[in-house]
Amino acid sequence: MISKCPSKFFKYFAVSKYPFSSLINITAFPYKFGNVNSITETKPRLQKIAQDVISLNKSTCEGFKLAYRAILNSLKDKKFHVLNRMLERNLYNKFKNEYDNIEKKGCKLVLYNEDSEIEVKPKSIGFIMGGSIDRSNKEKITRELKVSDIHVLTCIPNINPIKVDKNSVKKIEALMKNLKLIVKFTAEIQTSCKLGVVCSKGENAIDKYQGDTKEVHELTLEGETTNTEFSIFPFKIFSTAKSILKRGFELENVTAVDFDNALNGNKREGSSYL
């Protein structure tokens, strides 16, 4: 008579026949390990606009490369104090929590092909007028517009120019001085500079992982424009956005707000797009 095998044997066999990644749930990590396909759908018209912006602002393209490398290096070296300055709070919390889960399983992140070239392909651009990058501020959204796939979100009071009198001019001027215009820019990254997961005995946690294969990732940055004058009147909002696109701009306080669409764009509360 053959004795029954202990149930724990079947439990071990059932787990071990699958890639080791199933044990540490790397799919929850914001960075999509081993990804070789586009993360989100590309809209040709919006992509063309974003490409035109890149041609006017070549530093934007370099900024994406620097941000990508800095995020990966900081994750590899566990420099969360650096990530805390680079990432919007929601994205930072997502990375930190999932990194802790990987580390609890006795695994760590490694960086492959650190000096490999990075190709940046712009995908979309949008504007937030009068808001802030930090989602915890939860500004009240007053208007959300879309024309030719360009999204503009406003967090400024709706003002009827017909009802503006001389007494309110000073209030409007004071409001204008404190307003910020935020640009939200998403780009696709193609490179063999990528992260991997290695466990305690040196085994790779990613099934069929190939070190030299190029991966595809998606990075979303937000930054505040400098030296920008724009109207707070609703009927002039899009003309303002278009003029900015034509003449170009520089960004300050650039922050990563999403990576590989892990936060579905990290939209502001109450917004469908931005």
Side-chain angles (χ1 to χ4, degrees), residues 135-203:
R135 303 304 194 263
S136 65
N137 290 336
K138 296 183 178 180
E139 298 96 348
K140 182 181 178 180
I141 297 172
T142 55
R143 191 175 293 266
E144 191 161 18
L145 307 171
K146 178 185 176 183
V147 174
S148 300
D149 288 327
I150 301 176
H151 295 282
V152 178
L153 185 71
T154 66
C155 302
I156 55 181
N158 285 323
I159 297 175
N160 186 340
I162 298 176
K163 296 182 179 180
V164 173
D165 54 28
K166 293 181 180 180
N167 294 328
S168 60
V169 170
K170 289 184 178 181
K171 292 182 180 180
I172 294 174
E173 289 177 345
L175 177 63
M176 294 282 285
K177 288 180 180 179
N178 296 320
L179 284 177
K180 296 177 181 178
L181 177 61
I182 296 170
V183 181
K184 185 172 186 177
F185 212 145
T186 299
E188 187 172 274
I189 306 288
Q190 294 186 12
T191 180
S192 58
C193 173
K194 56 190 177 180
L195 289 174
V197 184
V198 174
C199 296
S200 55
K201 295 182 180 180
E203 67 270 37

Side-chain angles (χ1 to χ4, degrees), residues 145-272:
L145 307 171
K146 178 185 176 183
V147 174
S148 300
D149 288 327
I150 301 176
H151 295 282
V152 178
L153 185 71
T154 66
C155 302
I156 55 181
N158 285 323
I159 297 175
N160 186 340
I162 298 176
K163 296 182 179 180
V164 173
D165 54 28
K166 293 181 180 180
N167 294 328
S168 60
V169 170
K170 289 184 178 181
K171 292 182 180 180
I172 294 174
E173 289 177 345
L175 177 63
M176 294 282 285
K177 288 180 180 179
N178 296 320
L179 284 177
K180 296 177 181 178
L181 177 61
I182 296 170
V183 181
K184 185 172 186 177
F185 212 145
T186 299
E188 187 172 274
I189 306 288
Q190 294 186 12
T191 180
S192 58
C193 173
K194 56 190 177 180
L195 289 174
V197 184
V198 174
C199 296
S200 55
K201 295 182 180 180
E203 67 270 37
N204 199 312
I206 303 172
D207 188 39
K208 299 179 181 179
Y209 191 81
Q210 296 183 4
D212 294 332
T213 303
K214 281 189 176 183
E215 290 187 356
V216 177
H217 296 282
E218 193 170 287
L219 180 59
T220 301
L221 302 178
E222 286 187 4
E224 299 169 359
T225 58
T226 59
N227 300 321
T228 301
E229 296 181 1
F230 59 97
S231 174
I232 60 176
F233 298 116
F235 66 92
K236 288 188 176 181
I237 287 175
F238 263 102
S239 61
T240 301
K242 289 180 179 178
S243 67
I244 292 169
L245 288 174
K246 288 180 180 179
R247 71 170 183 266
F249 51 82
E250 293 183 359
L251 298 178
E252 293 181 344
N253 301 323
V254 177
T255 304
V257 299
D258 203 1
F259 201 110
D260 284 351
N261 203 38
L263 300 179
N264 193 27
N266 197 0
K267 302 178 184 69
R268 289 161 174 79
E269 186 174 328
S271 171
S272 302

